[in-house]
Amino acid sequence: MKRIGVLTSGGDAPGMNACVRAVVRSGLSAGLEVYGIRRGYSGLIDGDMEPLSARDVGGIIQRGGTFLQTARSAEFMTVEGRKQAVRRLNDRLIDGLVIIGGNGSLAGAYELHKMGVAVVGVPGSIDNDVPFTDMSIGVDTALNTMVHIIDMIKDTASSHQRCFLVQVMGRHHGYLALIGGIISGAEVTVIPEKEIPLEQIASAVDDAYIRGKTHAIIVVAEGARFSAQEIADYLTKTSPGFEVRVTVLGHVQRGGSPTAFDRLLATRMGMRAVQALLAGEHGTMTGLRGNRIELVPLEQVVQSTPSLDLTNYDIATMLAR
Ligand code: F6P
């Protein structure tokens, strides 16, 4: 193996830059040429790539987003798009590829693997919905951002005796909301994996009011059955205690400088991905299992559905007294 490529795909996640840096510098140290491919699979199909030097990835470890840019490519979903991507790799004599992204991107990596490309995936997504890794790159930063903002919301909520509904990202997965709810001390957490009727939410809020709480925080996952606004409309009608307000965090959770945890995770995974390519262990994904970075076959990753540890839901409920 002489020349490898690296790309970031799907929703950006803090720490992707740190991972690209690790891929480039560990690749160069091993005597490889490393090509940076811009705009994910879209850039791969267009042949938008160039060699990266150690200096090109200087000063990026602390930056959020991805300097290679990213995309959700509709063209790559087609057979013709994927064939074109493989042709581009062959034209440039790129014989190994590191793909950093979430579930959709890793499914794309598996397709390339089946077409004979030596590929290693790295889980990068704030949602923490990639199977076979305890954490994906970006999750820790997103949680820190979320908890920082909810702390600020609590200040104003307590001052006005208000109930705030805070809607957080996570697509169809409740991880960010659930863990965010525990670490911010939320009164109620609403996630897709555990349906909870509006009446039950209202009674938890009423209880909190009666018990003398100065505020109530409800963290709502964007994929939950009811949106934060729908819950707020219901509470406004049924719960006379707290005044109700809604904050939708949105893409603010995807930005910002990566935490120490994310920088280290991204660095370790990027280096492991290059080692895996060199050792011929491709068709795999780097996964954090305990404190070890292990390789998992991409086939297993794409065939599994993300699961959520619901004992955390019981913990969140028990501690919201
Ligand atoms: O997958 C990351 C994520 O931020 C999800 O939490 C969210 O549902 C989605 O991406 C938003 O996608 P977009 O940036 O395309 O609006």
Side-chain angles (χ1 to χ4, degrees), residues 95-159:
D95 36 27
L97 192 58
V98 177
I99 292 170
I100 309 161
N103 278 328
S105 310
L106 295 166
Y110 181 55
E111 291 303 318
L112 288 178
H113 163 68
K114 286 193 290 183
M115 293 166 81
V117 179
V119 58
V120 176
V122 176
S125 163
I126 65 165
D127 299 345
N128 216 24
D129 58 351
V130 177
F132 298 103
T133 185
D134 297 344
M135 293 287 268
S136 295
I137 295 169
V139 176
D140 186 64
T141 308
L143 283 173
N144 275 280
T145 302
M146 189 191 301
V147 82
H148 175 63
I149 295 174
I150 296 179
D151 285 350
M152 292 195 287
I153 289 174
K154 277 171 124 172
D155 291 343
T156 176
S158 295
S159 306

Short mmCIF file of all heavy atoms in Angstrom, two decimals, residues 95-159:
data_model
loop_
_atom_site.label_atom_id
_atom_site.label_comp_id
_atom_site.label_asym_id
_atom_site.label_seq_id
_atom_site.Cartn_x
_atom_site.Cartn_y
_atom_site.Cartn_z
N ASP A 95 -5.01 3.20 -2.94
CA ASP A 95 -5.32 1.79 -2.67
C ASP A 95 -5.84 1.54 -1.26
O ASP A 95 -5.97 0.39 -0.83
CB ASP A 95 -4.13 0.86 -3.00
CG ASP A 95 -2.78 1.47 -2.70
OD1 ASP A 95 -2.73 2.33 -1.80
OD2 ASP A 95 -1.80 1.10 -3.34
N GLY A 96 -6.17 2.59 -0.53
CA GLY A 96 -6.79 2.42 0.79
C GLY A 96 -7.55 3.69 1.14
O GLY A 96 -7.18 4.78 0.71
N LEU A 97 -8.62 3.52 1.92
CA LEU A 97 -9.48 4.68 2.20
C LEU A 97 -9.96 4.66 3.64
O LEU A 97 -10.40 3.61 4.13
CB LEU A 97 -10.69 4.59 1.25
CG LEU A 97 -11.62 5.78 1.10
CD1 LEU A 97 -10.87 7.03 0.65
CD2 LEU A 97 -12.71 5.44 0.07
N VAL A 98 -9.85 5.81 4.32
CA VAL A 98 -10.42 5.95 5.67
C VAL A 98 -11.66 6.84 5.55
O VAL A 98 -11.58 7.95 5.02
CB VAL A 98 -9.41 6.58 6.66
CG1 VAL A 98 -10.05 6.78 8.03
CG2 VAL A 98 -8.16 5.70 6.78
N ILE A 99 -12.79 6.33 6.04
CA ILE A 99 -14.06 7.06 5.93
C ILE A 99 -14.56 7.37 7.34
O ILE A 99 -14.80 6.46 8.14
CB ILE A 99 -15.09 6.22 5.15
CG1 ILE A 99 -14.62 6.12 3.70
CG2 ILE A 99 -16.49 6.83 5.24
CD1 ILE A 99 -15.39 5.14 2.86
N ILE A 100 -14.70 8.65 7.63
CA ILE A 100 -15.12 9.09 8.97
C ILE A 100 -16.56 9.61 8.86
O ILE A 100 -16.82 10.56 8.12
CB ILE A 100 -14.19 10.22 9.48
CG1 ILE A 100 -12.72 9.81 9.36
CG2 ILE A 100 -14.55 10.59 10.92
CD1 ILE A 100 -11.75 10.98 9.41
N GLY A 101 -17.49 8.98 9.58
CA GLY A 101 -18.87 9.44 9.50
C GLY A 101 -19.80 8.56 10.31
O GLY A 101 -19.36 7.64 11.02
N GLY A 102 -21.09 8.81 10.19
CA GLY A 102 -22.10 8.08 10.96
C GLY A 102 -22.62 6.86 10.20
O GLY A 102 -21.98 6.36 9.26
N ASN A 103 -23.79 6.39 10.60
CA ASN A 103 -24.32 5.13 10.06
C ASN A 103 -24.44 5.10 8.54
O ASN A 103 -24.05 4.12 7.90
CB ASN A 103 -25.70 4.86 10.67
CG ASN A 103 -25.56 4.22 12.03
OD1 ASN A 103 -24.61 3.47 12.25
ND2 ASN A 103 -26.47 4.51 12.94
N GLY A 104 -24.97 6.18 7.96
CA GLY A 104 -25.14 6.23 6.50
C GLY A 104 -23.78 6.16 5.80
O GLY A 104 -23.60 5.43 4.81
N SER A 105 -22.82 6.87 6.34
CA SER A 105 -21.48 6.91 5.74
C SER A 105 -20.79 5.55 5.86
O SER A 105 -20.08 5.11 4.96
CB SER A 105 -20.62 7.97 6.44
OG SER A 105 -21.34 9.18 6.50
N LEU A 106 -21.03 4.88 6.99
CA LEU A 106 -20.41 3.56 7.19
C LEU A 106 -21.08 2.51 6.31
O LEU A 106 -20.42 1.58 5.83
CB LEU A 106 -20.48 3.17 8.67
CG LEU A 106 -19.65 4.10 9.58
CD1 LEU A 106 -20.01 3.91 11.05
CD2 LEU A 106 -18.15 3.87 9.37
N ALA A 107 -22.37 2.69 6.04
CA ALA A 107 -23.05 1.80 5.08
C ALA A 107 -22.42 2.01 3.70
O ALA A 107 -22.20 1.05 2.94
CB ALA A 107 -24.54 2.09 5.05
N GLY A 108 -22.10 3.25 3.37
CA GLY A 108 -21.41 3.55 2.10
C GLY A 108 -20.04 2.90 2.07
O GLY A 108 -19.61 2.35 1.04
N ALA A 109 -19.35 2.94 3.20
CA ALA A 109 -18.02 2.31 3.29
C ALA A 109 -18.13 0.81 3.02
O ALA A 109 -17.29 0.22 2.33
CB ALA A 109 -17.42 2.56 4.67
N TYR A 110 -19.18 0.21 3.56
CA TYR A 110 -19.38 -1.24 3.36
C TYR A 110 -19.62 -1.55 1.87
O TYR A 110 -19.13 -2.54 1.33
CB TYR A 110 -20.55 -1.71 4.22
CG TYR A 110 -20.82 -3.19 4.10
CD1 TYR A 110 -19.82 -4.13 4.34
CD2 TYR A 110 -22.09 -3.65 3.74
CE1 TYR A 110 -20.06 -5.48 4.22
CE2 TYR A 110 -22.34 -5.01 3.63
CZ TYR A 110 -21.32 -5.92 3.86
OH TYR A 110 -21.57 -7.27 3.73
N GLU A 111 -20.38 -0.66 1.20
CA GLU A 111 -20.62 -0.86 -0.25
C GLU A 111 -19.29 -0.83 -1.00
O GLU A 111 -19.05 -1.66 -1.89
CB GLU A 111 -21.56 0.23 -0.80
CG GLU A 111 -22.99 0.15 -0.31
CD GLU A 111 -23.64 -1.20 -0.62
OE1 GLU A 111 -23.45 -1.71 -1.74
OE2 GLU A 111 -24.32 -1.75 0.27
N LEU A 112 -18.42 0.11 -0.66
CA LEU A 112 -17.11 0.20 -1.33
C LEU A 112 -16.27 -1.05 -1.03
O LEU A 112 -15.58 -1.57 -1.90
CB LEU A 112 -16.35 1.45 -0.88
CG LEU A 112 -16.89 2.79 -1.40
CD1 LEU A 112 -16.09 3.94 -0.82
CD2 LEU A 112 -16.87 2.83 -2.93
N HIS A 113 -16.36 -1.51 0.20
CA HIS A 113 -15.63 -2.75 0.59
C HIS A 113 -16.09 -3.91 -0.29
O HIS A 113 -15.26 -4.68 -0.81
CB HIS A 113 -15.90 -3.02 2.08
CG HIS A 113 -15.58 -4.41 2.51
ND1 HIS A 113 -14.29 -4.90 2.57
CD2 HIS A 113 -16.40 -5.45 2.88
CE1 HIS A 113 -14.33 -6.17 2.97
NE2 HIS A 113 -15.58 -6.53 3.16
N LYS A 114 -17.42 -4.00 -0.50
CA LYS A 114 -17.93 -5.10 -1.33
C LYS A 114 -17.47 -4.99 -2.79
O LYS A 114 -17.41 -5.96 -3.51
CB LYS A 114 -19.47 -5.13 -1.27
CG LYS A 114 -19.98 -5.67 0.07
CD LYS A 114 -21.46 -6.00 0.03
CE LYS A 114 -22.31 -4.76 -0.06
NZ LYS A 114 -23.75 -4.99 -0.03
N MET A 115 -17.13 -3.74 -3.19
CA MET A 115 -16.63 -3.53 -4.56
C MET A 115 -15.12 -3.70 -4.62
O MET A 115 -14.49 -3.35 -5.63
CB MET A 115 -17.05 -2.15 -5.05
CG MET A 115 -18.55 -2.00 -5.22
SD MET A 115 -19.06 -0.29 -5.40
CE MET A 115 -18.71 0.01 -7.13
N GLY A 116 -14.50 -4.14 -3.53
CA GLY A 116 -13.07 -4.45 -3.57
C GLY A 116 -12.15 -3.34 -3.08
O GLY A 116 -10.93 -3.46 -3.16
N VAL A 117 -12.73 -2.24 -2.59
CA VAL A 117 -11.88 -1.15 -2.09
C VAL A 117 -11.43 -1.49 -0.66
O VAL A 117 -12.23 -1.96 0.16
CB VAL A 117 -12.66 0.19 -2.08
CG1 VAL A 117 -11.78 1.32 -1.53
CG2 VAL A 117 -13.17 0.53 -3.48
N ALA A 118 -10.15 -1.25 -0.37
CA ALA A 118 -9.64 -1.46 1.01
C ALA A 118 -10.07 -0.25 1.84
O ALA A 118 -9.54 0.84 1.68
CB ALA A 118 -8.13 -1.59 0.99
N VAL A 119 -11.05 -0.45 2.69
CA VAL A 119 -11.63 0.67 3.41
C VAL A 119 -11.70 0.37 4.91
O VAL A 119 -11.93 -0.76 5.31
CB VAL A 119 -13.03 1.00 2.82
CG1 VAL A 119 -13.96 -0.17 2.90
CG2 VAL A 119 -13.67 2.18 3.48
N VAL A 120 -11.44 1.40 5.71
CA VAL A 120 -11.66 1.30 7.16
C VAL A 120 -12.54 2.47 7.58
O VAL A 120 -12.27 3.63 7.21
CB VAL A 120 -10.32 1.32 7.96
CG1 VAL A 120 -10.59 1.31 9.46
CG2 VAL A 120 -9.47 0.10 7.59
N GLY A 121 -13.60 2.18 8.30
CA GLY A 121 -14.52 3.22 8.77
C GLY A 121 -14.17 3.69 10.17
O GLY A 121 -13.63 2.91 10.97
N VAL A 122 -14.47 4.94 10.43
CA VAL A 122 -14.29 5.51 11.79
C VAL A 122 -15.62 6.17 12.17
O VAL A 122 -16.12 7.00 11.41
CB VAL A 122 -13.15 6.56 11.80
CG1 VAL A 122 -13.03 7.20 13.18
CG2 VAL A 122 -11.82 5.93 11.40
N PRO A 123 -16.22 5.80 13.32
CA PRO A 123 -17.52 6.37 13.68
C PRO A 123 -17.40 7.82 14.13
O PRO A 123 -16.76 8.12 15.13
CB PRO A 123 -17.98 5.47 14.83
CG PRO A 123 -16.72 4.93 15.44
CD PRO A 123 -15.72 4.84 14.34
N GLY A 124 -18.01 8.71 13.38
CA GLY A 124 -18.01 10.14 13.72
C GLY A 124 -19.41 10.68 13.56
O GLY A 124 -19.93 10.76 12.44
N SER A 125 -20.09 10.94 14.67
CA SER A 125 -21.47 11.44 14.64
C SER A 125 -21.86 11.81 16.06
O SER A 125 -21.59 11.03 16.98
CB SER A 125 -22.42 10.35 14.14
OG SER A 125 -23.75 10.67 14.48
N ILE A 126 -22.50 12.96 16.23
CA ILE A 126 -22.87 13.34 17.60
C ILE A 126 -23.97 12.45 18.17
O ILE A 126 -24.21 12.45 19.37
CB ILE A 126 -23.30 14.83 17.68
CG1 ILE A 126 -24.58 15.09 16.90
CG2 ILE A 126 -22.17 15.75 17.28
CD1 ILE A 126 -25.25 16.42 17.25
N ASP A 127 -24.66 11.69 17.31
CA ASP A 127 -25.86 10.97 17.76
C ASP A 127 -25.56 9.76 18.66
O ASP A 127 -26.43 9.28 19.36
CB ASP A 127 -26.66 10.46 16.55
CG ASP A 127 -27.14 11.59 15.67
OD1 ASP A 127 -27.10 12.75 16.12
OD2 ASP A 127 -27.54 11.32 14.52
N ASN A 128 -24.35 9.24 18.59
CA ASN A 128 -23.95 8.00 19.28
C ASN A 128 -24.88 6.84 18.97
O ASN A 128 -25.27 6.07 19.86
CB ASN A 128 -23.83 8.18 20.80
CG ASN A 128 -22.68 7.34 21.35
OD1 ASN A 128 -21.74 7.03 20.62
ND2 ASN A 128 -22.74 6.98 22.62
N ASP A 129 -25.20 6.70 17.69
CA ASP A 129 -26.09 5.63 17.27
C ASP A 129 -25.37 4.58 16.42
O ASP A 129 -26.02 3.76 15.77
CB ASP A 129 -27.30 6.19 16.50
CG ASP A 129 -26.89 6.98 15.28
OD1 ASP A 129 -25.67 7.24 15.10
OD2 ASP A 129 -27.78 7.34 14.49
N VAL A 130 -24.04 4.62 16.39
CA VAL A 130 -23.29 3.61 15.63
C VAL A 130 -23.06 2.39 16.52
O VAL A 130 -22.50 2.52 17.61
CB VAL A 130 -21.94 4.17 15.13
CG1 VAL A 130 -21.15 3.08 14.41
CG2 VAL A 130 -22.15 5.39 14.24
N PRO A 131 -23.52 1.20 16.08
CA PRO A 131 -23.32 0.01 16.90
C PRO A 131 -21.84 -0.37 17.02
O PRO A 131 -21.02 0.04 16.20
CB PRO A 131 -24.07 -1.09 16.13
CG PRO A 131 -24.91 -0.39 15.12
CD PRO A 131 -24.26 0.92 14.84
N PHE A 132 -21.51 -1.14 18.03
CA PHE A 132 -20.16 -1.69 18.26
C PHE A 132 -19.11 -0.64 18.58
O PHE A 132 -17.92 -0.86 18.36
CB PHE A 132 -19.69 -2.55 17.07
CG PHE A 132 -20.57 -3.74 16.84
CD1 PHE A 132 -21.49 -3.76 15.81
CD2 PHE A 132 -20.49 -4.84 17.69
CE1 PHE A 132 -22.32 -4.85 15.61
CE2 PHE A 132 -21.31 -5.94 17.50
CZ PHE A 132 -22.22 -5.94 16.45
N THR A 133 -19.53 0.51 19.07
CA THR A 133 -18.57 1.44 19.66
C THR A 133 -19.26 2.12 20.84
O THR A 133 -20.43 2.51 20.72
CB THR A 133 -18.03 2.47 18.65
OG1 THR A 133 -17.01 3.24 19.28
CG2 THR A 133 -19.10 3.41 18.10
N ASP A 134 -18.56 2.21 21.96
CA ASP A 134 -19.18 2.85 23.13
C ASP A 134 -19.47 4.32 22.83
O ASP A 134 -20.48 4.86 23.26
CB ASP A 134 -18.25 2.75 24.35
CG ASP A 134 -18.01 1.30 24.76
OD1 ASP A 134 -18.78 0.42 24.32
OD2 ASP A 134 -17.04 1.05 25.52
N MET A 135 -18.54 4.94 22.12
CA MET A 135 -18.69 6.36 21.79
C MET A 135 -18.24 6.60 20.36
O MET A 135 -17.28 6.00 19.89
CB MET A 135 -17.82 7.24 22.71
CG MET A 135 -18.22 7.25 24.16
SD MET A 135 -19.73 8.20 24.46
CE MET A 135 -19.06 9.81 24.82
N SER A 136 -18.93 7.51 19.67
CA SER A 136 -18.47 7.99 18.36
C SER A 136 -17.80 9.34 18.56
O SER A 136 -18.07 10.04 19.56
CB SER A 136 -19.66 8.16 17.41
OG SER A 136 -20.25 6.91 17.14
N ILE A 137 -16.99 9.72 17.60
CA ILE A 137 -16.32 11.02 17.67
C ILE A 137 -17.39 12.13 17.63
O ILE A 137 -18.27 12.12 16.77
CB ILE A 137 -15.35 11.17 16.48
CG1 ILE A 137 -14.22 10.15 16.59
CG2 ILE A 137 -14.80 12.60 16.40
CD1 ILE A 137 -13.35 10.06 15.33
N GLY A 138 -17.32 13.05 18.56
CA GLY A 138 -18.23 14.21 18.57
C GLY A 138 -19.28 14.16 19.66
O GLY A 138 -19.85 15.18 20.04
N VAL A 139 -19.56 12.96 20.17
CA VAL A 139 -20.64 12.80 21.16
C VAL A 139 -20.31 13.57 22.44
O VAL A 139 -21.15 14.31 22.98
CB VAL A 139 -20.85 11.30 21.49
CG1 VAL A 139 -21.89 11.14 22.58
CG2 VAL A 139 -21.24 10.54 20.24
N ASP A 140 -19.08 13.40 22.92
CA ASP A 140 -18.72 14.03 24.19
C ASP A 140 -18.80 15.55 24.09
O ASP A 140 -19.30 16.21 25.01
CB ASP A 140 -17.30 13.59 24.59
CG ASP A 140 -16.93 14.10 25.97
OD1 ASP A 140 -17.58 13.69 26.94
OD2 ASP A 140 -16.01 14.93 26.07
N THR A 141 -18.36 16.09 22.97
CA THR A 141 -18.42 17.55 22.80
C THR A 141 -19.88 18.01 22.75
O THR A 141 -20.25 19.02 23.37
CB THR A 141 -17.70 17.97 21.50
OG1 THR A 141 -16.39 17.41 21.51
CG2 THR A 141 -17.62 19.49 21.39
N ALA A 142 -20.71 17.26 22.02
CA ALA A 142 -22.13 17.64 21.92
C ALA A 142 -22.79 17.61 23.30
O ALA A 142 -23.59 18.50 23.64
CB ALA A 142 -22.85 16.70 20.95
N LEU A 143 -22.44 16.61 24.11
CA LEU A 143 -23.02 16.54 25.45
C LEU A 143 -22.55 17.72 26.31
O LEU A 143 -23.34 18.30 27.06
CB LEU A 143 -22.61 15.22 26.14
CG LEU A 143 -23.35 13.97 25.69
CD1 LEU A 143 -22.73 12.74 26.33
CD2 LEU A 143 -24.84 14.05 26.04
N ASN A 144 -21.28 18.05 26.19
CA ASN A 144 -20.76 19.19 26.96
C ASN A 144 -21.43 20.49 26.55
O ASN A 144 -21.75 21.33 27.40
CB ASN A 144 -19.24 19.28 26.80
CG ASN A 144 -18.52 18.38 27.79
OD1 ASN A 144 -18.36 18.73 28.95
ND2 ASN A 144 -18.13 17.20 27.35
N THR A 145 -21.64 20.66 25.26
CA THR A 145 -22.32 21.86 24.77
C THR A 145 -23.73 21.92 25.32
O THR A 145 -24.21 22.94 25.82
CB THR A 145 -22.36 21.86 23.23
OG1 THR A 145 -21.02 21.78 22.76
CG2 THR A 145 -23.05 23.09 22.67
N MET A 146 -24.40 20.77 25.25
CA MET A 146 -25.79 20.70 25.69
C MET A 146 -25.91 21.03 27.18
O MET A 146 -26.75 21.84 27.59
CB MET A 146 -26.28 19.27 25.45
CG MET A 146 -27.75 19.08 25.67
SD MET A 146 -28.14 17.32 25.67
CE MET A 146 -27.57 16.85 24.08
N VAL A 147 -25.03 20.45 27.99
CA VAL A 147 -25.15 20.64 29.43
C VAL A 147 -24.81 22.10 29.80
O VAL A 147 -25.43 22.68 30.69
CB VAL A 147 -24.26 19.60 30.17
CG1 VAL A 147 -22.82 19.99 30.25
CG2 VAL A 147 -24.81 19.29 31.52
N HIS A 148 -23.88 22.68 29.07
CA HIS A 148 -23.53 24.08 29.30
C HIS A 148 -24.75 24.98 29.03
O HIS A 148 -25.08 25.87 29.82
CB HIS A 148 -22.36 24.44 28.38
CG HIS A 148 -21.95 25.86 28.41
ND1 HIS A 148 -21.47 26.45 29.56
CD2 HIS A 148 -21.95 26.82 27.45
CE1 HIS A 148 -21.20 27.72 29.29
NE2 HIS A 148 -21.49 27.97 28.03
N ILE A 149 -25.43 24.70 27.94
CA ILE A 149 -26.59 25.54 27.58
C ILE A 149 -27.75 25.30 28.56
O ILE A 149 -28.42 26.25 28.99
CB ILE A 149 -27.02 25.27 26.12
CG1 ILE A 149 -25.91 25.72 25.18
CG2 ILE A 149 -28.33 26.00 25.80
CD1 ILE A 149 -26.14 25.38 23.74
N ILE A 150 -27.97 24.03 28.92
CA ILE A 150 -29.09 23.77 29.85
C ILE A 150 -28.81 24.41 31.21
O ILE A 150 -29.72 24.95 31.85
CB ILE A 150 -29.39 22.26 29.95
CG1 ILE A 150 -29.84 21.73 28.59
CG2 ILE A 150 -30.47 21.99 31.00
CD1 ILE A 150 -30.14 20.24 28.54
N ASP A 151 -27.55 24.40 31.64
CA ASP A 151 -27.22 25.11 32.89
C ASP A 151 -27.63 26.58 32.80
O ASP A 151 -28.16 27.16 33.75
CB ASP A 151 -25.70 25.04 33.17
CG ASP A 151 -25.27 23.67 33.67
OD1 ASP A 151 -26.14 22.83 33.98
OD2 ASP A 151 -24.05 23.43 33.74
N MET A 152 -27.36 27.19 31.65
CA MET A 152 -27.72 28.61 31.48
C MET A 152 -29.24 28.78 31.47
O MET A 152 -29.77 29.73 32.05
CB MET A 152 -27.09 29.15 30.19
CG MET A 152 -25.58 29.24 30.27
SD MET A 152 -24.85 30.24 28.97
CE MET A 152 -25.03 29.20 27.55
N ILE A 153 -29.90 27.84 30.80
CA ILE A 153 -31.37 27.92 30.77
C ILE A 153 -31.94 27.81 32.19
O ILE A 153 -32.90 28.51 32.54
CB ILE A 153 -31.94 26.81 29.84
CG1 ILE A 153 -31.63 27.15 28.38
CG2 ILE A 153 -33.45 26.65 30.05
CD1 ILE A 153 -32.02 26.07 27.39
N LYS A 154 -31.32 26.95 33.01
CA LYS A 154 -31.82 26.77 34.38
C LYS A 154 -31.75 28.08 35.17
O LYS A 154 -32.61 28.34 36.02
CB LYS A 154 -31.00 25.71 35.10
CG LYS A 154 -31.46 24.30 34.81
CD LYS A 154 -30.47 23.31 35.37
CE LYS A 154 -31.13 22.34 36.30
NZ LYS A 154 -30.20 21.27 36.70
N ASP A 155 -30.70 28.87 34.93
CA ASP A 155 -30.60 30.15 35.63
C ASP A 155 -31.83 31.01 35.39
O ASP A 155 -32.46 31.51 36.32
CB ASP A 155 -29.35 30.94 35.16
CG ASP A 155 -28.06 30.28 35.60
OD1 ASP A 155 -28.11 29.43 36.51
OD2 ASP A 155 -27.01 30.61 35.01
N THR A 156 -32.17 31.15 34.13
CA THR A 156 -33.33 32.01 33.82
C THR A 156 -34.64 31.32 34.19
O THR A 156 -35.58 31.96 34.66
CB THR A 156 -33.30 32.49 32.36
OG1 THR A 156 -34.49 33.25 32.10
CG2 THR A 156 -33.19 31.37 31.35
N ALA A 157 -34.68 29.99 34.04
CA ALA A 157 -35.91 29.25 34.38
C ALA A 157 -36.23 29.42 35.86
O ALA A 157 -37.38 29.71 36.24
CB ALA A 157 -35.75 27.77 34.04
N SER A 158 -35.21 29.28 36.72
CA SER A 158 -35.43 29.41 38.17
C SER A 158 -35.85 30.82 38.54
O SER A 158 -36.68 31.02 39.42
CB SER A 158 -34.14 29.09 38.93
OG SER A 158 -33.81 27.77 38.75
N SER A 159 -35.26 31.79 37.85
CA SER A 159 -35.57 33.18 38.17
C SER A 159 -37.05 33.49 37.92
O SER A 159 -37.64 34.32 38.59
CB SER A 159 -34.71 34.13 37.35
OG SER A 159 -33.35 33.81 37.52
#
